[in-house]
Amino acid sequence: MPGTNDFPAEESAVDELDIAPENGWNALYLDGEWVPAGDRDLIEVENPATRTPLTRVPSSTEDDVDEAYAIADEAQAAWANRPPQERAGIVADACALLGEYAADLATLFAVECGGVQLKADFETQLAQGTMEVGSGLAMRDGGRRKESVTPGKENLLVREPAGVVGVITPWNFPLYLSSRVVAPAIALGNSVVLKPDEHTPLTGGLVLAKIFEEAGLPAGVLNVVPGYGHEIGDHFSGHSVPSVMAFTGSSEVGRGVGQRAVGSYTEPALELGGNNAHIVLEDADVARAVDAGAFGSFTHQGQECISINRHLVHESLYDEYVAGLADRAEQLPIGDPREEGTLVGPVINESQRDKIVGFLEESIERGATVEAGGNHDGLFIEPTVLSDVTADMPAACNEHFGPVAPVIPFETDEEAIRIANGTDYGLSGSVHSSDVARARDVADALETGMVHINDQPLNDEPHVAFGGVGASGMGRYNDEWIMDTLTTLKWISIQREPREYPY
Ligand code: NAD
């Protein structure tokens, strides 16, 4: 791929890829064409591990957004009229291509968002899973027949595609979080305009477009406008064309996106932040709880909405749990995600690092004790375990989104529930106990969309409802639940006999 991006820097990892458009990634994907950046401003994408430039993409403008929506609108009806097996087949072919390009994708996850091989494997599997489930939706649940209270009438509920779907996604699991909307939307006969995060325009958008292009998706059904959220986000999310605005990202930005969408009569589907509690009851198996706690806190540097944000541990197990978790944290290999065996890579950017380090320092000032880690170098933050934490400390009461494990003691199950629920968020959580009925009582009392007993919160299965309550979002993704969002039901009644009207 010589000469891509007109890029002056040393060899970029994107030049090694088998998957790439002919003219490189410095383009928008509109109406099946790779539209060069031209005189648009450029977004410089950086490798967070090496802090070296990776690639450039165009910074799409509001006019680009208008054009993308107009193209999607124009393409949608013809696409919806294609036979369902054709729509399903294209999504299934895209799924197969993800497998073929798995090595390229792993490279891209490493250099674009600092993801290690383990994370690349998870993400590729999740993206494949959502495509498998999504492709199946094309052939499922075309509608229903309902009895009528009016003699001689037949009621039909016909399921139709919603229309044009706007999709905004973040940088942490970019390919998966985009695919989990794009794949079912396309299978169900919608068209899509996708705005990936500015840090991950390739894995979050342009690579997905390339894969669907190779899978044979007709022009105009999927359009990708890389761009800065603070520049085009308001215009994108308040646009009059889309019927659905599927947003994954922070609660703060999501609230504005939802308000703008509703202002344009667009249905919002919001997957937002979390402050997930990992609760270890007094009768828990500590070793199991520590294993789960380490995985849930440090995977992808804690940068998942469903990562453990707080560990709540019964006071009788507290010291043993903290020592076990600190031991696990100290053993995790940190480094460049492309080096074999690395388990902890960099966080995405300086502002995230500064936010995480700020929460750490303020919590330490307020009495928290560092049991492991605590240092940072560049964008690498050591997996850090904090003891003597109270629920109101900055590392605990905020979504820290880093490799940080604040551990809070509690005395009773009721107190654990109260602390866990003491947040506006309500995404995921976990409860450890040797008594499943007791854990189930706690799970029932947690104000979250998801709870995992004797596991940790970091779970997503593409055929199971995913989502949160409160500041963690509105609606559910995956399978039949995202199908409800991405389709609309039309009531068609047929009056088969003359009807008697009152006058
Ligand atoms: P963010 O909200 O800053 O950005 C997410 C997306 O929104 C990006 O594409 C960004 O460009 C765009 N954006 C920014 N300003 C916008 C605006 N005014 N209008 C429209 N779009 C705009 O989030 P982030 O920091 O990149 O991602 C991390 C957050 O995402 C965390 O809070 C995390 O919990 C959440 N998240 C949630 C889920 C979930 O499924 N619930 C999954 C992953 C991440």
Side-chain angles (χ1 to χ4, degrees):
M1 216 172 60
T4 44
N5 304 328
D6 178 25
F7 207 57
E10 70 267 35
E11 252 182 59
S12 166
V14 297
D15 293 336
E16 301 167 13
L17 303 178
D18 284 333
I19 180 177
E22 291 305 308
N23 56 347
W25 293 114
N26 196 2
L28 297 80
Y29 186 66
L30 294 177
D31 210 6
E33 300 288 331
W34 295 90
V35 179
D39 57 6
R40 293 172 184 83
D41 290 342
L42 298 178
I43 298 175
E44 306 273 348
V45 184
E46 184 183 278
N47 176 339
T50 58
R51 312 295 303 276
T52 52
L54 177 68
T55 191
R56 286 172 176 160
V57 298
S59 176
S60 303
T61 62
E62 293 188 355
D63 287 346
D64 294 327
V65 171
D66 290 343
E67 190 183 348
Y69 276 131
I71 290 164
D73 203 18
E74 176 75 26
Q76 192 265 324
W79 173 240
N81 283 327
R82 300 305 306 159
Q85 67 273 26
E86 182 182 326
R87 288 185 266 120
I90 286 175
V91 176
D93 288 350
C95 179
L97 286 168
L98 288 181
E100 285 176 32
Y101 288 122
D104 273 359
L105 292 172
T107 299
L108 277 174
F109 293 137
V111 297
E112 205 186 23
C113 65
V116 303
Q117 183 65 47
L118 183 78
K119 187 260 189 187
D121 295 342
F122 282 148
E123 182 157 6
T124 305
Q125 282 161 19
L126 277 168
Q128 286 182 304
T130 203
M131 287 194 183
E132 272 168 26
V133 172
S135 78
L137 295 180
M139 306 287 275
R140 242 171 66 193
D141 197 343
R144 292 173 71 182
R145 182 181 176 281
K146 294 288 280 182
E147 294 303 322
S148 174
V149 299
T150 305
K153 181 181 286 294
E154 184 181 17
N155 284 326
L156 301 174
L157 289 164
V158 178
R159 195 179 280 279
E160 297 180 341
V164 176
V165 178
V167 185
I168 302 176
T169 48
W171 45 262
N172 60 339
F173 272 68
L175 179 77
Y176 171 57
L177 297 174
S178 294
S179 300
R180 72 177 178 171
V181 184
V182 170
I186 286 175
L188 288 162
N190 299 282
S191 58
V192 176
V193 180
L194 167 63
K195 193 209 81 64
D197 191 276
E198 45 270 37
H199 297 87
T200 49
L202 305 191
T203 48
L206 295 169
V207 166
L208 199 56
K210 178 66 187 149
I211 281 173
F212 272 106
E213 180 183 57
E214 262 192 70
L217 189 69
V221 178
L222 172 62
N223 306 277
V224 179
V225 285
Y228 286 109
H230 63 266
E231 286 182 2
I232 58 169
D234 289 4
H235 189 68
F236 188 99
S237 55
H239 209 276
S240 58
V241 166
S243 304
V244 175
M245 185 56 53
F247 174 86
T248 304
S250 63
S251 302
E252 190 190 352
V253 173
R255 189 200 321 236
V257 166
Q259 285 169 344
R260 282 187 295 281
V262 169
S264 295
Y265 305 106
T266 300
E267 183 173 345
L270 306 176
E271 290 291 347
L272 311 177
N275 182 350
N276 311 300
H278 180 62
I279 301 176
V280 184
L281 302 181
E282 63 186 316
D283 61 353
D285 175 335
V286 180
R288 244 182 105 172
V290 165
D291 274 354
F295 179 79
S297 267
F298 303 127
T299 300
H300 196 40
Q301 298 78 261
Q303 300 174 116
E304 294 104 356
C305 54
I306 47 179
S307 296
I308 298 174
N309 203 69
R310 297 168 293 167
H311 300 242
L312 310 187
V313 181
H314 190 265
E315 56 184 5
S316 64
L317 309 177
Y318 190 80
D319 291 345
E320 187 185 353
Y321 184 89
V322 168
L325 194 63
D327 188 45
R328 297 296 303 274
E330 274 164 0
Q331 289 175 31
L332 295 173
I334 312 180
D336 189 317
R338 297 190 78 184
E339 282 166 22
E340 212 182 322
T342 303
L343 283 177
V344 178
V347 299
I348 190 74
N349 61 24
E350 282 178 13
S351 84
Q352 283 295 120
R353 180 203 58 202
D354 293 346
K355 196 173 77 171
I356 299 163
V357 170
F359 290 150
L360 269 178
E361 287 174 351
E362 288 168 44
S363 300
I364 294 164
E365 265 168 39
R366 288 176 51 181
T369 305
V370 177
E371 301 282 351
N375 302 307
H376 64 275
D377 180 10
L379 297 184
F380 292 88
I381 301 178
E382 289 177 347
T384 298
V385 177
L386 294 179
S387 64
D388 303 321
V389 177
T390 54
D392 58 348
M393 286 185 183
C397 66
N398 296 290
E399 183 188 38
H400 55 64
F401 227 57
V404 175
V407 193
I408 304 171
F410 67 84
E411 286 178 25
T412 62
D413 294 6
E414 291 68 33
E415 188 189 4
I417 292 164
R418 188 176 49 73
I419 297 172
N421 287 342
T423 169
D424 292 340
Y425 294 110
L427 193 55
S428 189
S430 42
V431 187
H432 275 252
S433 169
S434 53
D435 177 350
V436 170
R438 181 176 180 177
R440 176 66 207 274
D441 285 345
V442 174
D444 284 345
L446 292 181
E447 294 159 3
T448 61
M450 304 172 280
V451 189
H452 302 282
I453 292 173
N454 289 336
D455 194 6
Q456 44 69 49
L458 189 54
N459 281 281
D460 188 354
E461 301 187 20
H463 63 295
V464 181
F466 183 103
V469 299
S472 290
M474 294 168 68
R476 291 290 177 272
Y477 278 39
N478 294 346
D479 205 11
E480 66 204 72
W481 300 278
I482 193 78
M483 180 166 77
D484 280 344
T485 304
L486 297 172
T487 55
T488 182
L489 281 179
K490 183 185 277 179
W491 176 20
I492 297 180
S493 84
I494 305 166
Q495 189 62 39
R496 295 194 177 277
E497 298 162 13
R499 178 174 171 179
E500 280 187 29
Y501 299 102
Y503 62 90

